[in-house]
Amino acid sequence: MIANEEFVLSAPRASHGTLSLTRKEFEFFCELIHDHAGIDIASDKVLMVEGRLSKRLRALGLSTFAEYGQYLKGHLSSKEFEFFINTLTTNKTEFFREDFHFDYLQKILAQQAKFDTAYIWSAACSSGEEVYSLAMVCEELREVNPSFDYKILGTDIDTEHIQMSEHGIYDRAHIANLPPLYQQKYFELSGQKGCGRIRVGAQLRGHVKFRKHNLIDYQDKIPVTFNVIFVRNVLFYFNKETTAKIVHKLVGRLEPGGLLFVSLTETLQGAEDILTCVEASIYQKKV
């Protein structure tokens, strides 16, 4: 937890017109985001934090990182605190990232026609590409089996990315690697002709919802249990203890036999009592 001692203001240390972040200031911001989002920032990321937070100082007209720290301490429920979390949250994604997962999911859902509705949760959805990739998988299944239905929840702690996800608007280049048929079926022009922007079609957007959610909110109020949960490329931001708590929370939101997908570079340890590994990076809740 952040110490109760005052976060002492220090004089700005300019280097070629750019403020430098002291080690004490860096550790303060690392503790702050860990306490409120569970994220661990590596000790060698000083320059990254400095560069990102410098933009917030300029936006607020502040002269030092210490002033910004004092401001955040007094405004933990403010819009600026959301900006702070957003600024230090790394979001990198693409459509059908780690496509093995989507192929596997399509196969499993096709075999489980017993679902009246499949409920899927993308628990760190970033700017929405994962959610809409899942929706495309489900739409393909609906063409074969019209009785199949689905609902997808996308959540993230980054409020700016949640807004992007809800709009479903991307640069045309962002879908260049999708099959041409998917581009034609699931996307439409957005805005003025020739602007280079496209929007996810209404048939997908009608099956998805987005909301802000903090993975370390262990008492979340999501009133649904899911058949499938994706929590990929995010667990490595947390320490082992926090990761274990998050995994147990997510498994508690899975139906018996439901599937939990993590990144292909991640493995879950210490959850053998509640999960069975069915494929690399894919786990099933024990019945």
Side-chain angles (χ1 to χ4, degrees), residues 162-175:
I162 287 296
Q163 289 183 344
M164 290 175 59
S165 301
E166 289 176 333
H167 294 152
I169 298 174
Y170 304 94
D171 291 334
R172 180 178 289 277
H174 208 56
I175 67 167

Side-chain angles (χ1 to χ4, degrees), residues 77-259:
S77 299
S78 68
K79 190 67 176 178
E80 181 56 37
F81 198 80
E82 285 190 10
F83 287 148
F84 167 71
I85 297 293
N86 295 349
T87 299
L88 294 186
T89 303
T90 300
N91 293 280
K92 182 181 182 300
T93 188
E94 60 190 27
F95 289 102
F96 289 98
R97 184 180 185 183
E98 299 179 337
D99 56 0
F100 163 73
H101 285 158
F102 298 96
D103 293 339
Y104 184 89
L105 178 63
Q106 187 169 31
K107 179 181 69 174
I108 294 300
L109 290 179
Q111 295 171 353
Q112 297 180 337
K114 64 181 181 180
F115 291 148
D116 293 326
T117 300
Y119 290 91
I120 303 174
W121 181 10
S122 171
C125 70
S126 187
S127 48
E129 290 89 337
E130 180 173 274
V131 169
Y132 292 121
S133 298
L134 290 165
M136 283 184 264
V137 168
C138 291
E139 280 295 318
E140 292 295 301
L141 289 173
R142 274 166 57 86
E143 287 191 3
V144 178
N145 179 11
S147 65
F148 173 78
D149 200 7
Y150 67 98
K151 295 185 183 297
I152 303 174
L153 174 65
T155 64
D156 202 275
I157 196 172
D158 189 324
T159 53
E160 292 179 345
H161 277 82
I162 287 296
Q163 289 183 344
M164 290 175 59
S165 301
E166 289 176 333
H167 294 152
I169 298 174
Y170 304 94
D171 291 334
R172 180 178 289 277
H174 208 56
I175 67 167
N177 292 330
L178 287 178
L181 182 60
Y182 279 23
Q183 296 183 37
Q184 296 169 12
K185 289 170 65 175
Y186 299 126
F187 295 87
E188 58 195 30
L189 292 177
S190 174
Q192 294 181 339
K193 187 176 181 180
C195 71
R197 304 280 280 172
I198 48 85
R199 188 181 191 189
V200 176
Q203 76 271 37
L204 298 189
R205 288 186 281 111
H207 287 270
V208 307
K209 288 187 177 180
F210 295 94
R211 57 169 280 190
K212 179 185 175 183
H213 179 262
N214 190 338
L215 284 171
I216 66 167
D217 176 8
Y218 304 117
Q219 306 299 321
D220 62 65
K221 305 298 183 183
I222 298 176
V224 179
T225 53
F226 297 89
N227 306 107
V228 176
I229 296 177
F230 274 52
V231 58
R232 307 187 308 161
N233 300 293
V234 66
L235 294 178
F236 53 78
Y237 290 116
F238 306 103
N239 60 36
K240 290 183 178 180
E241 179 182 358
T242 302
T243 296
K245 289 181 179 179
I246 290 171
V247 169
H248 276 74
K249 180 190 81 168
L250 294 178
V251 172
R253 304 306 310 160
L254 272 177
E255 291 280 355
L259 295 174

